[in-house]
Short mmCIF file of all heavy atoms in Angstrom, two decimals:
data_model
loop_
_atom_site.label_atom_id
_atom_site.label_comp_id
_atom_site.label_asym_id
_atom_site.label_seq_id
_atom_site.Cartn_x
_atom_site.Cartn_y
_atom_site.Cartn_z
N ALA A 211 17.33 -135.37 -71.90
CA ALA A 211 16.08 -134.74 -72.35
C ALA A 211 15.59 -135.37 -73.65
O ALA A 211 14.38 -135.56 -73.84
CB ALA A 211 16.30 -133.24 -72.53
N THR A 212 16.52 -135.70 -74.56
CA THR A 212 16.14 -136.36 -75.81
C THR A 212 15.52 -137.73 -75.52
O THR A 212 14.50 -138.12 -76.13
CB THR A 212 17.37 -136.52 -76.71
OG1 THR A 212 17.99 -135.25 -76.91
CG2 THR A 212 17.00 -137.10 -78.06
N TYR A 213 16.13 -138.47 -74.61
CA TYR A 213 15.59 -139.77 -74.21
C TYR A 213 14.19 -139.63 -73.60
O TYR A 213 13.27 -140.39 -73.95
CB TYR A 213 16.54 -140.42 -73.21
CG TYR A 213 16.01 -141.67 -72.56
CD1 TYR A 213 15.85 -142.85 -73.29
CD2 TYR A 213 15.67 -141.68 -71.21
CE1 TYR A 213 15.36 -144.00 -72.68
CE2 TYR A 213 15.19 -142.82 -70.60
CZ TYR A 213 15.04 -143.98 -71.33
OH TYR A 213 14.55 -145.13 -70.74
N LYS A 214 14.01 -138.63 -72.73
CA LYS A 214 12.71 -138.44 -72.10
C LYS A 214 11.66 -137.94 -73.09
O LYS A 214 10.46 -138.15 -72.89
CB LYS A 214 12.83 -137.47 -70.91
CG LYS A 214 13.53 -138.10 -69.71
CD LYS A 214 12.81 -139.37 -69.28
CE LYS A 214 13.51 -140.12 -68.16
NZ LYS A 214 13.32 -139.48 -66.87
N MET A 215 12.10 -137.30 -74.16
CA MET A 215 11.17 -136.96 -75.24
C MET A 215 10.54 -138.23 -75.79
O MET A 215 9.32 -138.32 -76.01
CB MET A 215 11.90 -136.20 -76.35
CG MET A 215 12.20 -134.75 -76.05
SD MET A 215 10.79 -133.66 -76.29
CE MET A 215 10.56 -133.78 -78.06
N GLY A 216 11.38 -139.23 -76.05
CA GLY A 216 10.88 -140.51 -76.55
C GLY A 216 9.93 -141.18 -75.57
O GLY A 216 8.88 -141.70 -75.96
N ILE A 217 10.30 -141.17 -74.30
CA ILE A 217 9.46 -141.79 -73.26
C ILE A 217 8.10 -141.09 -73.19
O ILE A 217 7.05 -141.74 -73.15
CB ILE A 217 10.15 -141.72 -71.88
CG1 ILE A 217 11.51 -142.44 -71.92
CG2 ILE A 217 9.25 -142.31 -70.81
CD1 ILE A 217 11.42 -143.90 -72.21
N THR A 218 8.12 -139.78 -73.17
CA THR A 218 6.88 -139.00 -73.04
C THR A 218 5.98 -139.20 -74.25
O THR A 218 4.75 -139.35 -74.12
CB THR A 218 7.21 -137.51 -72.86
OG1 THR A 218 8.14 -137.35 -71.79
CG2 THR A 218 5.95 -136.72 -72.54
N LEU A 219 6.56 -139.21 -75.43
CA LEU A 219 5.77 -139.44 -76.65
C LEU A 219 5.14 -140.83 -76.64
O LEU A 219 3.99 -141.01 -77.09
CB LEU A 219 6.65 -139.26 -77.88
CG LEU A 219 7.01 -137.81 -78.22
CD1 LEU A 219 8.16 -137.75 -79.22
CD2 LEU A 219 5.79 -137.07 -78.76
N HIS A 220 5.87 -141.81 -76.15
CA HIS A 220 5.30 -143.16 -76.04
C HIS A 220 4.13 -143.18 -75.06
O HIS A 220 3.10 -143.81 -75.32
CB HIS A 220 6.37 -144.15 -75.59
CG HIS A 220 5.85 -145.54 -75.42
ND1 HIS A 220 5.98 -146.25 -74.25
CD2 HIS A 220 5.16 -146.35 -76.29
CE1 HIS A 220 5.42 -147.44 -74.38
NE2 HIS A 220 4.91 -147.53 -75.60
N LYS A 221 4.28 -142.47 -73.95
CA LYS A 221 3.18 -142.41 -72.98
C LYS A 221 1.96 -141.70 -73.56
O LYS A 221 0.82 -141.97 -73.17
CB LYS A 221 3.65 -141.70 -71.71
CG LYS A 221 4.63 -142.51 -70.86
CD LYS A 221 5.02 -141.76 -69.60
CE LYS A 221 5.96 -142.59 -68.76
NZ LYS A 221 5.34 -143.83 -68.21
N LYS A 222 2.22 -140.78 -74.51
CA LYS A 222 1.10 -140.09 -75.17
C LYS A 222 0.48 -140.95 -76.28
O LYS A 222 -0.52 -140.56 -76.89
CB LYS A 222 1.60 -138.76 -75.77
CG LYS A 222 1.83 -137.68 -74.74
CD LYS A 222 2.45 -136.45 -75.36
CE LYS A 222 1.50 -135.75 -76.35
NZ LYS A 222 0.28 -135.20 -75.68
N GLY A 223 1.08 -142.10 -76.54
CA GLY A 223 0.55 -143.00 -77.56
C GLY A 223 1.14 -142.83 -78.94
O GLY A 223 0.73 -143.52 -79.88
N ASP A 224 2.12 -141.95 -79.11
CA ASP A 224 2.74 -141.72 -80.40
C ASP A 224 3.99 -142.60 -80.51
O ASP A 224 5.12 -142.13 -80.32
CB ASP A 224 3.08 -140.24 -80.57
CG ASP A 224 3.42 -139.87 -82.00
OD1 ASP A 224 3.71 -140.79 -82.79
OD2 ASP A 224 3.41 -138.67 -82.33
N VAL A 225 3.80 -143.86 -80.84
CA VAL A 225 4.90 -144.81 -80.86
C VAL A 225 5.90 -144.47 -81.96
O VAL A 225 7.12 -144.60 -81.76
CB VAL A 225 4.36 -146.25 -81.04
CG1 VAL A 225 5.52 -147.25 -81.10
CG2 VAL A 225 3.41 -146.60 -79.91
N ALA A 226 5.42 -144.06 -83.11
CA ALA A 226 6.31 -143.75 -84.23
C ALA A 226 7.29 -142.64 -83.87
O ALA A 226 8.50 -142.77 -84.10
CB ALA A 226 5.49 -143.38 -85.46
N GLN A 227 6.79 -141.55 -83.31
CA GLN A 227 7.67 -140.45 -82.92
C GLN A 227 8.55 -140.83 -81.74
O GLN A 227 9.69 -140.36 -81.63
CB GLN A 227 6.84 -139.20 -82.59
CG GLN A 227 6.38 -138.42 -83.80
CD GLN A 227 7.56 -137.89 -84.61
OE1 GLN A 227 8.43 -137.22 -84.08
NE2 GLN A 227 7.57 -138.21 -85.89
N ALA A 228 8.05 -141.67 -80.87
CA ALA A 228 8.86 -142.14 -79.75
C ALA A 228 10.10 -142.87 -80.27
O ALA A 228 11.22 -142.66 -79.79
CB ALA A 228 8.04 -143.06 -78.84
N LYS A 229 9.92 -143.71 -81.29
CA LYS A 229 11.04 -144.44 -81.88
C LYS A 229 12.04 -143.47 -82.53
O LYS A 229 13.25 -143.66 -82.44
CB LYS A 229 10.53 -145.43 -82.92
CG LYS A 229 9.79 -146.61 -82.34
CD LYS A 229 9.35 -147.56 -83.45
CE LYS A 229 8.65 -148.79 -82.89
NZ LYS A 229 8.21 -149.71 -83.97
N VAL A 230 11.50 -142.43 -83.17
CA VAL A 230 12.37 -141.43 -83.81
C VAL A 230 13.28 -140.78 -82.79
O VAL A 230 14.50 -140.64 -83.01
CB VAL A 230 11.53 -140.37 -84.55
CG1 VAL A 230 12.41 -139.20 -84.99
CG2 VAL A 230 10.83 -140.98 -85.75
N TRP A 231 12.73 -140.38 -81.66
CA TRP A 231 13.53 -139.67 -80.65
C TRP A 231 14.49 -140.61 -79.93
O TRP A 231 15.61 -140.21 -79.58
CB TRP A 231 12.61 -138.97 -79.66
CG TRP A 231 12.07 -137.70 -80.24
CD1 TRP A 231 10.88 -137.52 -80.91
CD2 TRP A 231 12.72 -136.43 -80.25
NE1 TRP A 231 10.75 -136.23 -81.34
CE2 TRP A 231 11.86 -135.53 -80.93
CE3 TRP A 231 13.92 -135.96 -79.75
CZ2 TRP A 231 12.19 -134.20 -81.13
CZ3 TRP A 231 14.25 -134.63 -79.94
CH2 TRP A 231 13.39 -133.77 -80.63
N LEU A 232 14.09 -141.85 -79.72
CA LEU A 232 15.00 -142.82 -79.11
C LEU A 232 16.18 -143.11 -80.04
O LEU A 232 17.32 -143.27 -79.59
CB LEU A 232 14.25 -144.11 -78.77
CG LEU A 232 13.22 -143.99 -77.63
CD1 LEU A 232 12.38 -145.25 -77.54
CD2 LEU A 232 13.91 -143.71 -76.30
N GLN A 233 15.92 -143.17 -81.34
CA GLN A 233 16.98 -143.39 -82.30
C GLN A 233 17.91 -142.18 -82.35
O GLN A 233 19.13 -142.33 -82.56
CB GLN A 233 16.39 -143.65 -83.69
CG GLN A 233 17.43 -144.05 -84.73
CD GLN A 233 18.16 -145.33 -84.37
OE1 GLN A 233 17.53 -146.34 -83.99
NE2 GLN A 233 19.48 -145.32 -84.47
N LYS A 234 17.38 -140.97 -82.12
CA LYS A 234 18.22 -139.77 -82.08
C LYS A 234 19.22 -139.86 -80.94
O LYS A 234 20.37 -139.41 -81.08
CB LYS A 234 17.35 -138.52 -81.90
CG LYS A 234 16.66 -138.05 -83.17
CD LYS A 234 15.94 -136.73 -82.93
CE LYS A 234 15.30 -136.22 -84.21
NZ LYS A 234 14.63 -134.91 -84.01
N VAL A 235 18.79 -140.40 -79.83
CA VAL A 235 19.72 -140.57 -78.70
C VAL A 235 20.91 -141.42 -79.12
O VAL A 235 22.08 -141.09 -78.86
CB VAL A 235 19.01 -141.22 -77.50
CG1 VAL A 235 20.00 -141.47 -76.37
CG2 VAL A 235 17.87 -140.35 -77.01
N ILE A 236 20.61 -142.52 -79.83
CA ILE A 236 21.68 -143.44 -80.26
C ILE A 236 22.58 -142.77 -81.29
O ILE A 236 23.82 -142.89 -81.22
CB ILE A 236 21.04 -144.72 -80.84
CG1 ILE A 236 20.19 -145.42 -79.77
CG2 ILE A 236 22.12 -145.67 -81.37
CD1 ILE A 236 19.32 -146.54 -80.29
N ASP A 237 21.99 -142.06 -82.23
CA ASP A 237 22.76 -141.45 -83.30
C ASP A 237 23.62 -140.28 -82.83
O ASP A 237 24.75 -140.10 -83.29
CB ASP A 237 21.82 -140.96 -84.41
CG ASP A 237 21.09 -142.11 -85.11
OD1 ASP A 237 21.58 -143.26 -85.01
OD2 ASP A 237 20.04 -141.86 -85.73
N LEU A 238 23.07 -139.48 -81.90
CA LEU A 238 23.75 -138.24 -81.52
C LEU A 238 24.70 -138.39 -80.33
O LEU A 238 25.68 -137.64 -80.22
CB LEU A 238 22.71 -137.16 -81.18
CG LEU A 238 21.81 -136.69 -82.32
CD1 LEU A 238 20.76 -135.72 -81.80
CD2 LEU A 238 22.64 -136.03 -83.41
N TYR A 239 24.43 -139.36 -79.46
CA TYR A 239 25.16 -139.36 -78.19
C TYR A 239 25.96 -140.63 -77.92
O TYR A 239 26.47 -140.80 -76.81
CB TYR A 239 24.18 -139.12 -77.05
CG TYR A 239 23.49 -137.79 -77.16
CD1 TYR A 239 22.16 -137.71 -77.57
CD2 TYR A 239 24.18 -136.61 -76.91
CE1 TYR A 239 21.52 -136.47 -77.70
CE2 TYR A 239 23.55 -135.38 -77.04
CZ TYR A 239 22.23 -135.32 -77.43
OH TYR A 239 21.61 -134.09 -77.57
N THR A 240 26.10 -141.50 -78.91
CA THR A 240 26.99 -142.66 -78.73
C THR A 240 28.43 -142.15 -78.58
O THR A 240 28.91 -141.38 -79.40
CB THR A 240 26.90 -143.60 -79.94
OG1 THR A 240 25.57 -144.13 -80.03
CG2 THR A 240 27.89 -144.74 -79.81
N GLY A 241 29.08 -142.59 -77.53
CA GLY A 241 30.43 -142.12 -77.23
C GLY A 241 30.45 -140.86 -76.39
O GLY A 241 31.51 -140.44 -75.94
N LYS A 242 29.29 -140.24 -76.17
CA LYS A 242 29.22 -139.02 -75.36
C LYS A 242 28.42 -139.24 -74.08
O LYS A 242 28.77 -138.69 -73.03
CB LYS A 242 28.57 -137.90 -76.17
CG LYS A 242 29.33 -137.52 -77.44
CD LYS A 242 28.59 -136.45 -78.22
CE LYS A 242 29.32 -136.09 -79.50
NZ LYS A 242 28.58 -135.07 -80.30
N ALA A 243 27.31 -139.99 -74.20
CA ALA A 243 26.46 -140.28 -73.04
C ALA A 243 26.01 -141.74 -73.16
O ALA A 243 24.83 -142.03 -73.40
CB ALA A 243 25.28 -139.33 -72.98
N ASP A 244 26.97 -142.64 -72.99
CA ASP A 244 26.71 -144.06 -73.27
C ASP A 244 25.67 -144.67 -72.33
O ASP A 244 24.96 -145.60 -72.72
CB ASP A 244 28.02 -144.85 -73.19
CG ASP A 244 28.95 -144.52 -74.35
OD1 ASP A 244 28.45 -144.14 -75.42
OD2 ASP A 244 30.18 -144.61 -74.18
N GLY A 245 25.59 -144.17 -71.11
CA GLY A 245 24.57 -144.69 -70.19
C GLY A 245 23.17 -144.43 -70.72
O GLY A 245 22.31 -145.31 -70.71
N THR A 246 22.92 -143.22 -71.19
CA THR A 246 21.62 -142.86 -71.76
C THR A 246 21.38 -143.60 -73.06
O THR A 246 20.25 -144.00 -73.35
CB THR A 246 21.55 -141.33 -72.00
OG1 THR A 246 21.90 -140.66 -70.78
CG2 THR A 246 20.16 -140.91 -72.42
N VAL A 247 22.43 -143.81 -73.84
CA VAL A 247 22.30 -144.56 -75.09
C VAL A 247 21.86 -145.99 -74.82
O VAL A 247 21.00 -146.53 -75.53
CB VAL A 247 23.64 -144.55 -75.87
CG1 VAL A 247 23.61 -145.53 -77.04
CG2 VAL A 247 23.94 -143.14 -76.38
N ARG A 248 22.40 -146.62 -73.78
CA ARG A 248 21.98 -147.98 -73.43
C ARG A 248 20.51 -148.03 -73.05
O ARG A 248 19.79 -148.96 -73.43
CB ARG A 248 22.85 -148.51 -72.28
CG ARG A 248 24.26 -148.92 -72.72
CD ARG A 248 24.95 -149.72 -71.63
NE ARG A 248 25.21 -148.91 -70.44
CZ ARG A 248 26.31 -148.20 -70.25
NH1 ARG A 248 27.26 -148.19 -71.18
NH2 ARG A 248 26.49 -147.52 -69.14
N LEU A 249 20.05 -147.03 -72.30
CA LEU A 249 18.64 -146.97 -71.94
C LEU A 249 17.76 -146.82 -73.19
O LEU A 249 16.71 -147.45 -73.31
CB LEU A 249 18.39 -145.80 -70.99
CG LEU A 249 18.99 -145.91 -69.59
CD1 LEU A 249 18.79 -144.61 -68.82
CD2 LEU A 249 18.36 -147.07 -68.83
N ALA A 250 18.20 -145.96 -74.12
CA ALA A 250 17.43 -145.74 -75.34
C ALA A 250 17.35 -147.02 -76.17
O ALA A 250 16.29 -147.36 -76.71
CB ALA A 250 18.07 -144.61 -76.15
N LYS A 251 18.46 -147.74 -76.28
CA LYS A 251 18.46 -149.00 -77.04
C LYS A 251 17.52 -150.02 -76.41
O LYS A 251 16.79 -150.72 -77.12
CB LYS A 251 19.88 -149.56 -77.11
CG LYS A 251 20.82 -148.80 -78.04
CD LYS A 251 22.20 -149.44 -78.05
CE LYS A 251 23.13 -148.72 -79.02
NZ LYS A 251 24.50 -149.31 -79.02
N SER A 252 17.55 -150.12 -75.10
CA SER A 252 16.70 -151.06 -74.40
C SER A 252 15.22 -150.73 -74.59
O SER A 252 14.40 -151.62 -74.87
CB SER A 252 17.05 -151.08 -72.90
OG SER A 252 16.19 -151.92 -72.19
#
Side-chain angles (χ1 to χ4, degrees):
T212 305
Y213 171 70
K214 287 304 175 76
M215 283 280 294
I217 301 297
T218 307
L219 286 165
H220 178 235
K221 289 182 179 294
K222 285 174 66 65
D224 194 343
V225 178
Q227 280 298 306
K229 290 181 178 180
V230 169
W231 282 93
L232 291 171
Q233 187 61 47
K234 282 186 178 182
V235 176
I236 300 170
D237 295 340
L238 295 175
Y239 299 105
T240 296
K242 299 177 182 178
D244 290 332
T246 307
V247 169
R248 285 193 294 271
L249 291 174
K251 287 181 178 178
S252 176

